Amino acid sequence: AQSVTQLGSHVSVSEGALVLLRCNYSSSVPPYLFWYVQYPNQGLQLLLKYTTGATLVKGINGFEAEFKKSETSFHLTKPSAHMSDAAEYFCAVSVGNQFYFGTGTSLTVIP
Amino acid sequence: DTGVSQDPRHKITKRGQNVTFRCDPISEHNRLYWYRQTLGQGPEFLTYFQNEAQLEKSRLLSDRFSAERPKGSFSTLEIQRTEQGDSAMYLCASSQKTGAYGYTFGSGTRLTVV
């Protein structure tokens, strides 16, 4: 069975501080991994994805994530938070024709 | 390419009424998905089309729900005899080929059943 666990439903950081959003997955087959961002009353926007190859992937808006197979993790980071980063972030795993999403982490950026 | 379009953006309906939502995917995407998202949760898979064929349906898709993609282009999701528990954001997404490409999501239709 496939599942995604996001540790911490709410994360607060100061503007300019490091952002770290945690994601662990379980999958019976090698997964494709994704991070999406959702702003209020909007759909989901793809931040970055890991399919094969380099385990450190860079996405839009300065975000990056590292696939660690031994830890079954795909944590999202950004060196310096910006006010515009405040949103809901979803980790997802793709297996076959379906995506499985985590329950999301709400990021608050404190000025 | 204008992305994935969903209509309407918001729908308020009385319990027991039928509602229909429309999704227009990215034109070259042959795969189309419907998801439901309730407050504080991640999107949950409802159903998936490849071209006009509905290939997978979730157990969440009760008999009151039906989805179509008649010509392999736009899709409709109908909910009959709506219940308050149907209140949610309904998201449509499309993709090329396999899930490795990721999905492109629409902005969703927020349904409120009163």
Side-chain angles (χ1 to χ4, degrees):
Chain A
Q2 282 65 236
S3 69
V4 178
T5 303
Q6 291 185 240
L7 297 176
S9 58
H10 298 276
V11 171
S12 294
V13 299
S14 298
E15 190 175 15
L18 172 71
V19 176
L20 171 61
L21 305 183
R22 299 178 186 274
C23 173
N24 289 86
Y25 69 92
S26 65
S27 175
S28 55
V29 297
Y32 298 137
L33 296 161
F34 302 80
W35 276 98
Y36 282 87
V37 61
Q38 186 178 35
Y39 298 99
N41 295 314
Q42 297 292 318
L44 280 72
Q45 180 183 5
L46 180 65
L47 274 179
L48 50 79
K49 63 182 179 181
Y50 169 78
T51 53
T52 58
T55 56
L56 180 64
V57 293
K58 296 184 183 299
I60 61 172
N61 301 336
F63 285 93
E64 61 183 38
E66 186 171 10
F67 169 58
K68 292 186 177 180
K69 185 177 179 180
S70 61
E71 299 177 6
T72 61
S73 69
F74 191 57
H75 302 329
L76 181 71
T77 61
K78 181 174 181 178
S80 177
H82 191 273
M83 296 298 294
S84 61
D85 295 327
E88 190 85 16
Y89 291 80
F90 293 94
C91 182
V93 59
S94 170
V95 179
N97 295 315
Q98 287 196 33
F99 267 50
Y100 300 87
F101 288 88
T103 53
T105 297
S106 177
L107 177 66
T108 300
V109 182
I110 303 167
Chain B
D1 177 7
T2 57
V4 178
S5 299
Q6 292 189 246
D7 182 71
R9 291 294 306 277
H10 303 275
K11 178 70 176 179
I12 300 174
T13 190
K14 291 184 179 180
R15 189 174 52 186
Q17 297 294 305
N18 299 344
V19 294
T20 299
F21 310 141
R22 177 180 169 123
C23 172
D24 287 88
I26 292 174
S27 56
E28 60 265 30
H29 287 182
N30 64 350
R31 297 178 178 218
L32 185 147
Y33 310 81
W34 285 98
Y35 280 77
R36 183 173 70 184
Q37 184 181 22
T38 54
L39 200 61
Q41 298 297 316
E44 295 173 295
F45 172 77
L46 291 179
T47 189
Y48 149 64
F49 290 86
Q50 183 165 327
N51 300 312
E52 66 275 12
Q54 188 174 19
L55 298 185
E56 288 188 47
K57 291 169 60 174
S58 164
R59 288 173 296 174
L60 294 175
L61 214 65
S62 75
D63 291 344
R64 297 184 296 106
F65 288 70
S66 63
E68 295 182 342
R69 194 182 183 197
K71 297 182 179 179
S73 56
F74 74 91
S75 175
T76 58
L77 177 68
E78 180 182 17
I79 309 174
Q80 296 181 325
R81 306 181 302 282
T82 52
E83 302 173 355
Q84 286 189 323
D86 297 331
S87 296
M89 174 80 89
Y90 290 84
L91 293 165
C92 177
S94 68
S95 74
Q96 293 176 300
K97 301 180 182 179
T98 70
Y101 289 81
Y103 292 178
T104 301
F105 280 86
S107 297
T109 294
R110 181 166 295 283
L111 173 66
T112 302
V113 181
V114 298

